[in-house]
Structure formats: C-alpha cells, structure tokens
Amino acid sequence: EYDDAIIAFREAQGLSRNFAMAYWGEAFCQWQPLWYNENPAKAREILNRLAPTPAARAAKAPTPREKAYLAALERLVGPGDRLTRAGVFADALGVIARDYPQDDEAKAFQALALLATIPEGTRRPAVSLRAGELASALLTRNPQHPGAAHYMLHAYDDGEHAARALPAARVYAKIAPQSSHAQHMPSHAFLPLG
C-alpha cells in the first residue's frame, strides 16, 4: 500500500507545507527493502521539497524526536551501498527506540531495517531472529500493530522458525482485513507448518 501512503503524505503536506514528517513519510515510501526495491534519488528529491539541505530540513522539525527521524532517513538515502545504509538506518532507529521507549514505529522500523541488512538470497539467522524478537515484543505490547505482525512474519520466514511467527499469523489478517497483503502474509507461517 505504498501508493496509498504516498497520497496520504502528500495530502498532509498540502495541509501543512512545513510538516517535516509528511515529507519523511513520502520519502520513506521510496524504500521497500523486503522487495529489494529502493529509489534513494527520488527520496532525496522529496526531502528537497521540504528544504534544500539536511540542516534546513532538521530546522523544520519541531521536536528532537522528529529531528532524529530525519537524521536517520538522511543516512538511509545518502551515499553508500544499500546494505551499509540499511545497517546505519537500523542503528539510528535503535537509538530512537531507546530514547523514546513508547515509540512503536521506531521499534517496527528497526526490525524492518535489520531485515534489510540481509543480502538477497542469503540467510542470516542472528539478524532475522533479532528482527523477529523486536517485532514480537512490539506485537505483545501492541497487539493491533500491523507493522509488528508483518515484520515478525518476514523475520521468521525461513522454514526453521515459522512456529515463532504463529502469533502474528493468527492476527495479521484481522488487524488489516482490507489489505490483500495482510491476507496473504499468514501463509508464510501456516504453509511451512502444514
């Protein structure tokens, strides 16, 4: 549902031209790591609509937390290879999650970013298990969080750890019944388990 999210973020920008997180969200939609799809140049174009430099963009963020999110995204869409940028982004989100322990999105996006550090076609169980633990803890705390359920299913989608994804598989379709992807994702746990 990236297209729908982009529309919503643009509508928010129309309501408040200097709403930094609306630009953050639209730019973040240019990063789709579970499909190995990203467009950092497009993300930078979006951020440049807010302001032409990272410092000018940070100045438009009214809180330290929003500034931290912008700084993290600047690293994700900055120079370097995809895996390194994803790792730096995951680390930055971990700091946000530590500094703002009630911020569910920081925890969810940290799990996603950790999954993005795994090269396509490879397995890194320590990384995927860490992402799964983050998503699982978030789903326990907030049982209606669709990102937690989604990233938990992906984290344990290796055939060996599918049983750990059962809590997410049992609730994800109910959390987001209008989403075809949410309807599909439980199969990532149910099929391997028979």
Side-chain angles (χ1 to χ4, degrees):
E1 285 80 18
Y2 287 102
D3 293 336
D4 293 339
I6 288 168
I7 290 168
F9 288 124
R10 287 182 181 163
E11 288 173 357
Q13 294 163 23
L15 294 170
S16 180
R17 189 179 183 302
N18 290 317
F19 179 26
M21 292 307 289
Y23 296 89
W24 185 95
E26 183 185 354
F28 188 59
C29 286
Q30 302 304 311
W31 186 59
Q32 302 164 13
L34 298 177
W35 295 273
Y36 306 100
N37 182 32
E38 68 171 353
N39 191 337
K42 177 72 173 172
R44 287 189 299 272
E45 286 176 23
I46 294 162
L47 291 173
N48 284 337
R49 289 197 330 254
L50 174 63
T53 67
R57 290 189 283 273
K60 293 190 179 215
T63 68
R65 184 168 140 226
E66 290 178 53
K67 289 178 192 312
Y69 268 103
L70 277 170
L73 187 64
E74 297 283 358
R75 292 181 190 110
L76 179 65
V77 302
D81 68 89
R82 180 178 58 83
L83 297 176
T84 301
R85 287 184 287 107
V88 170
F89 186 58
D91 291 345
L93 289 165
V95 171
I96 295 170
R98 180 200 68 210
D99 292 348
Y100 303 93
Q102 299 305 308
D103 187 338
D104 289 349
E105 304 323 307
K107 293 175 181 114
F109 292 147
Q110 182 186 13
L112 174 62
L114 285 171
L115 293 173
T117 67
I118 302 171
E120 188 172 5
T122 64
R123 290 185 60 209
R124 298 242 170 106
V127 175
S128 58
L129 290 175
R130 174 69 180 130
E133 290 166 2
L134 288 168
S136 178
L138 175 54
L139 191 64
T140 298
R141 192 175 95 70
N142 182 348
Q144 294 297 306
H145 197 287
H150 189 186
Y151 307 143
M152 187 174 164
L153 283 159
H154 277 291
Y156 296 134
D157 185 16
D158 62 4
E160 183 180 345
H161 298 97
R164 293 184 185 194
L166 281 174
R170 290 185 175 124
V171 299
Y172 192 25
K174 294 174 188 169
I175 292 172
Q178 73 287 0
S179 168
S180 61
H181 196 68
Q183 297 296 315
H184 150 80
M185 282 304 299
S187 68
H188 285 243
F190 293 149
L191 287 175
L193 295 171

